Amino acid sequence: MPEAQPLENDVDPTLEADVFSRNCASRGILQNVTSRWGLLALVALLDGELRFNALRRRVDGVSERMLSVTLQSLERDGYVNREMLQAIPPRVEYSLTEMGRQVAQQLTTLIDLVEGHVPAVGDAREAYDGHHE
């Protein structure tokens, strides 16, 4: 009987991480970290612990549901801590784990690089649009 082939979404945890490999677990992790809201939530938490609504205000434009889903993914991956505070009404604070802090610092470098290139990107877009009208 032939051996069953792994499904495309199966992940082999024994393989060395290689983001270019279709079945590598790092792809899903990278997707959580580099999603629009994941990236912004991680970097916003570099400043320290934030309650949910404060984090939502800091990450302007994110819906309550999207932020909740994003934080759950980041907590599951070990990048974010969620702490339930004993208060009335109950409060929840989010903070970075050490691993989350390391990733957020790298993302900050990327953000700084991208922000520094905004004028050049604007020029490139104008040139591109001028050639493709």
Side-chain angles (χ1 to χ4, degrees):
M1 186 169 187
E3 188 175 311
Q5 294 296 315
L7 298 174
E8 188 171 317
N9 291 331
D10 285 350
V11 174
D12 184 349
T14 63
L15 295 176
E16 186 174 321
D18 177 6
V19 75
F20 294 103
S21 175
R22 166 181 31 206
N23 296 328
C24 184
S26 65
R27 280 194 179 184
I29 297 165
L30 191 62
Q31 184 175 353
N32 290 340
V33 167
T34 60
S35 71
R36 174 182 4 177
W37 307 122
L39 183 146
L40 294 174
L42 285 168
V43 173
L45 288 169
L46 264 176
D47 292 335
E49 296 175 348
L50 288 173
R51 292 199 321 235
F52 183 87
N53 286 329
L55 183 56
R56 186 165 171 231
R57 284 190 298 274
R58 178 77 175 107
V59 181
D60 189 26
V62 66
S63 70
E64 186 173 318
R65 183 181 185 299
M66 251 344 283
L67 182 57
S68 179
V69 168
T70 298
L71 289 169
Q72 287 174 356
S73 295
L74 294 172
E75 181 183 11
R76 182 172 183 254
D77 288 346
Y79 294 116
V80 170
N81 285 319
R82 179 183 186 271
E83 184 180 355
M84 188 75 143
L85 302 174
Q86 297 300 323
I88 299 177
R91 294 187 327 196
V92 177
E93 284 190 345
Y94 293 90
S95 62
L96 295 174
T97 63
E98 182 53 36
M99 189 168 57
R101 179 169 300 289
Q102 291 173 10
V103 169
Q105 288 168 338
Q106 295 299 313
L107 293 172
T108 299
T109 301
L110 176 61
I111 288 170
D112 291 344
L113 183 63
V114 168
E115 287 178 340
H117 287 114
V118 168
V121 169
D123 293 343
R125 287 179 176 178
E126 278 185 36
Y128 179 91
D129 293 346
H131 287 95
H132 293 89
E133 289 182 341

